[in-house]
Amino acid sequence: MFTAIAVITAALSMSAVRSAPIPVRTCTIVEAVSPDTVEHNAALLLKDRLMGAGITAWIVPEPAASDTHKSALTILFGSASRHKSLNAALNSVRISPPTEFDPGPEGFVLRSLPTTNDRSRTRMAAASADPRGLVYAAGEILRQIHLTRQGPVISQFLDIRTAPAFEVRGTQIQQSGVNFEKAHARQWTEAEREHAIADIILAGANTIQLGGDSPTNIDPAFAFVKSLGVKALCHYTANGGSGPPEWQAKESIGRSGYLCPSVPEARAAMLKQCEDNFRNSPDYDYVRLVGGDGGGCECDLCHPYGHVFISLCADMADIIHRYHPNCQIFITNQKFDAESDEAIFQYLQEKPRSWLRGFCYGPGSDSMSWQPGHRQTHRMDLFRYPGFGPPSRYLHEILHQLPPQQDLVFYNEITHWRYSEFGFIQAYPRPDKRGFYPPASGHFMYERMPDRYLTQVYDRLTFFAWPRFYYKMFGETVRYGIGDCTHSSGTQDHFNQWMWERLMWNPNQSVEQVVDSYCETWFGTEAAPVMAQALFQLEQNLQDDPNVPLPKKPGIFHYYSLIKQAGRLIPADLRKRNWLWLEHLQKAAIDLHTARAVELQLAAHAHVEALVAAAMSESPQAQEVAISAASEALTAISPSSEMLALENEARAAGEESNWLYGVRSEGLFSLQHDFIGMGWTRAMLQKAASASPKERGSLLFQIAHYEDPGPGGFYDNCGVIGKMPHVINGSPYDYGQPLVAGMFSEECKHSQKTMCSTQEQSQGVALRYDGLSNIDSYRVRITVVRPQFQGRYAARMKQHSEKLFAGDVLIAPEIEIPMLVPTQYEFDIPKSSIKNGQLTLRFEKMPDIGAGDRITVEQWRNTGGWGTLVSEVWLINTTASSSGRNK
């Protein structure tokens, strides 16, 4: 027994010695005498990245001995079939060379080799199953070289045999418009873009979306991508084009640039355009045919659009294959309705369709999801036994419907933190065209909302990371297909995209393993554990918690502290060029600056409420003094020294990251906001200052006790689930577009920017109250405001007023709803409207709203059209309130 323990202990000790890291300052890459072009380019890429990490590297052909250069690390690098020294080395340690079956296509083997007793040097075999696999071997070597503050090190013993789990692994690499227009960052050079593309390829990507809007626009990076053996994907809008008005598609939100495939002349033009494009295009490996972001054409001739679309795609596939016979075709069902999906499935089931490789699932593809972008109809039958719920249940259904000739492939959107496929929503979803709301299954997707204050600072395309949630979404979706070429709008999703590629290589990693590897790769060994904490903390900070306002979130300061700590731990050479850490520093400083700004405003507002509450029972003169002091308190807010330091720190980091890599936070140009609606309070104070004593009392009560309806009264914060107990008809108003700056004035309180609405239905928003007194008098107060729509939507929005009924009594024939800035109205409730203690308040749209032909109405409703709209409702028992005040 003792002997066995001794042997085990000795073996573990030897393993520890053998695995101890050694410094790597020099490296010799030994390639075959006549390497494949991709293999040689992989060696060049590896050398370039080693040099960038401070390691002097050489590439030499075999049979150069390891002594050619006295290198700390020698790598036999290539395909065993053409690299004799590598093949011999693998045989010497009884390692079979990699094949397409073991470990698999694009796979590789990394194996440490025996060395002399010189423990300062190590040798390694890096062998691939095919030329592209050597690119990924290079990526793994780089991840195994740990960047420490003492210099790069590598373990003396590595034994890795691996291949990717998915066939299609890719994304887009580009800078975003927000980066230029709002962050005022510089453009990349072509070399910088190629560097960014290489980053994601080294992480495991084998497909890069290229070409912009047209396949004939040859992407400057095309040759670079192909030089590494990586595949190119073209994203092509099948029904895109221009022509006379009669050719135009009835796109779901009314955008131009789309043609109707049911108009013969327009269809012919689309096919000619396809031929002109692909006749002269480079050889793409994949073409993804999409139906337009808005879901194609809504006209009667195109119903169901899926049938028209798939037929058009078949003809386009014939054209593409005429010039590019090896190209594989994907189609998407983005924002199609349920009937269109069924038409596509029926078409595919009729007979083998060899032209189509994959059915592509992307934003708006899920017939069980009400995520922003809104499908118009849903597969409610699938909710009867929803399994794990959306999105996995609908993916299961797609696989059930697809013939064996077609695979499921993905186009997941993980680039926007709000208003996106899996992103935060601004409001609970409205019902679809058939009136259905999301059932309970998967309801968590609609409870995730962005922090209400950070939303005011940052654009939809802002720097963020969601390790845990996106890890879950990856597992819920990609497991059903052959892979994913994700949608990316810029660099703001750096972690999300990197994690996606690593999970497509090995989906059995834990989220902690992926995060640790990312942080080790990008921030160095000592900083990695701290940055891992920071990534998880950032994810928590972004979600809204109405019970914990931003200044009370301990994670805001914790994230900032972690980023600062990590900056001290990153190796000096790496820190000098680490634009990614600088992005985190900007994010952390701006978030903390925002929290402190909100804290100041909340404190000032609380002071105002206390002043006003104390003055309510005082003389008119004392009230005037309190009003003046309160107004001054709201205007005297100035940034603290801490806030100024944070702003300066963020700006300096932004300048540095822009100089290094052309990235900067747009939040730097959006720091000053009225976060809590102080403008409304300021306006109420001005109103109270000139009001009569009786009116002033009511105004002061509202300022001091905003949501309090008084004794025997009721308050509904419309649009907020759980805070509108009396609403019996209407749904939260989700605007039909991202919550962009300028839709509402910042003079709005948050409760004034959430609202209930109805659309073309005759029944408007309604509230019902029970248990009312038959002898008391009641009064209703409402807050209303309407958004200022983006220009492309505004022309459809004719609505600006509504009616209000108490029971069957019309108490307001036309309530004008102001744009941007809210207003309040009050109306007496006729006692005859209260029957058996019950009252129904109901709004009614004006007669010309939501009227017209089907297409016009659908485009109106899809872009946020409303018939009735209300933000807040107070039912005030004036009898009880008067008694309470008199008492």
Side-chain angles (χ1 to χ4, degrees), residues 74-96:
T74 298
I75 307 171
L76 304 180
F77 191 79
S79 298
S81 60
R82 59 167 56 92
H83 197 306
K84 294 180 181 179
S85 303
L86 176 59
N87 194 44
L90 291 174
N91 286 336
S92 72
V93 290
R94 298 184 178 87
I95 298 293
S96 60

Side-chain angles (χ1 to χ4, degrees), residues 687-739:
K687 194 174 179 180
S690 59
S692 66
K694 181 178 180 181
E695 290 174 335
R696 178 182 291 170
S698 175
L699 293 170
L700 294 179
F701 182 84
Q702 258 198 283
I703 294 170
H705 309 286
Y706 183 73
E707 294 184 3
D708 187 353
F714 307 91
Y715 169 76
D716 285 79
N717 184 358
C718 298
V720 180
I721 302 299
K723 291 192 173 182
M724 47 179 192
H726 303 97
V727 174
I728 58 172
N729 192 63
S731 61
Y733 184 53
D734 66 356
Y735 314 107
Q737 57 183 313
L739 186 58

Side-chain angles (χ1 to χ4, degrees), residues 458-476:
Y458 294 112
D459 189 82
R460 182 186 177 207
L461 276 72
T462 200
F463 182 77
F464 78 112
W466 280 353
R468 295 198 188 280
F469 184 72
Y470 275 158
Y471 182 84
K472 173 182 172 62
M473 287 298 100
F474 180 94
E476 291 284 323

Side-chain angles (χ1 to χ4, degrees), residues 613-629:
M616 284 175 58
S617 58
E618 300 292 332
S619 67
Q621 293 78 13
Q623 289 179 352
E624 291 174 4
V625 171
I627 290 170
S628 177

Side-chain angles (χ1 to χ4, degrees), residues 844-856:
E844 187 176 291
K845 71 180 183 68
M846 304 308 282
D848 58 335
I849 301 302
D853 64 271
R854 180 183 64 83
I855 300 297
T856 300

Side-chain angles (χ1 to χ4, degrees), residues 395-435:
L395 294 170
H396 180 270
E397 173 66 12
I398 292 173
L399 286 183
H400 180 71
Q401 296 286 352
L402 284 181
Q405 294 85 6
Q406 279 79 42
D407 288 304
L408 181 59
V409 68
F410 289 87
Y411 172 48
N412 278 318
E413 202 269 62
I414 52 176
T415 194
H416 300 106
W417 75 305
R418 64 176 191 251
Y419 200 85
S420 58
E421 186 176 7
F422 305 127
F424 288 137
I425 63 171
Q426 277 85 52
Y428 187 83
R430 64 173 181 258
D432 68 12
K433 188 162 65 173
R434 295 187 293 203

